[in-house]
Amino acid sequence: MYNVVVVSWLSSTVVAELVSSIMDASSARKIWDEFKERFDKDDLTRIYQISTDIATLRQGTKSMTSYFSKLKDLWNELDILAPLSSCDCEESRPYIDHLARQRLLQFLMRLNESYSHVRNAVLLKRKVLTVNQAYIDIVQEESQR
């Protein structure tokens, strides 16, 4: 009984392109093992592609929500393929802070020029914002327009 529930859950949560590859599977364990073999690797080629996608992503004609969501999706996928240390120790704090600042800068530098004054305001704040806080500031600005 649990096998059917898990197979059903897997079928309904994977992207459409993967559904056909699991339709004939006899057990959830086989599906899981196949996905683990296919996707659980340090795939340098995919990391390179995601990094390229991040480097070339621009807001362009996308809405702020669409642009930010795409960027967050890329960061999330990159974090899965190249995970950060799970250590919450003092030694790892500078690296985590540096990564957070880099992501904030990536987000800000790819905004359309119409947001330059908001970008400047974020950069000039004494306390560095998180990328989520900067997004909220920019969405509020966008809604006031």
Side-chain angles (χ1 to χ4, degrees):
M1 175 180 146
Y2 293 117
N3 185 60
V4 173
V5 171
V6 174
V7 169
S8 174
W9 175 80
L10 286 169
S11 299
S12 66
T13 57
V14 298
V15 293
E17 295 84 15
L18 295 177
V19 172
S20 62
S21 69
I22 64 173
M23 292 307 287
D24 298 327
S26 58
S27 73
R29 172 49 95 193
K30 286 185 180 183
I31 294 170
W32 188 258
D33 289 344
E34 181 181 340
F35 282 174
K36 185 167 176 50
E37 182 179 348
R38 285 170 63 185
F39 302 111
D40 187 29
K41 5 179 147 167
D42 185 14
D43 187 350
L44 196 55
T45 304
R46 183 65 187 139
I47 292 170
Y48 174 83
Q49 184 59 53
I50 295 168
S51 298
T52 301
D53 290 348
I54 290 170
T56 59
L57 181 67
R58 301 284 182 266
Q59 181 187 3
T61 60
K62 293 181 223 40
S63 70
M64 182 57 60
T65 301
S66 175
Y67 161 66
F68 186 69
S69 294
K70 177 63 178 168
L71 190 55
K72 290 282 282 191
D73 288 346
L74 290 168
W75 287 334
N76 289 339
E77 189 173 353
L78 188 59
D79 289 345
I80 290 168
L81 291 172
L84 295 172
S85 169
S86 59
C87 171
D88 193 22
C89 52
E90 201 58 37
E91 291 81 22
S92 65
R93 178 60 37 207
Y95 175 72
I96 292 168
D97 291 345
H98 174 74
L99 180 62
R101 284 179 175 218
Q102 288 301 309
R103 289 186 175 178
L104 173 63
L105 295 174
Q106 287 173 348
F107 169 65
L108 293 173
M109 72 176 76
R110 291 170 176 89
L111 290 172
N112 291 338
E113 279 307 307
S114 60
Y115 293 102
S116 63
H117 64 286
V118 182
R119 176 180 35 237
N120 291 339
V122 168
L123 291 171
L124 291 173
K125 288 191 178 195
R126 186 166 294 279
K127 182 179 182 289
V128 176
L129 298 180
T130 66
V131 71
N132 288 334
Q133 292 167 331
Y135 168 74
I136 291 167
D137 282 1
I138 292 168
V139 167
Q140 286 175 342
E141 169 70 22
E142 186 178 51
S143 68
Q144 291 176 3
R145 288 184 182 187

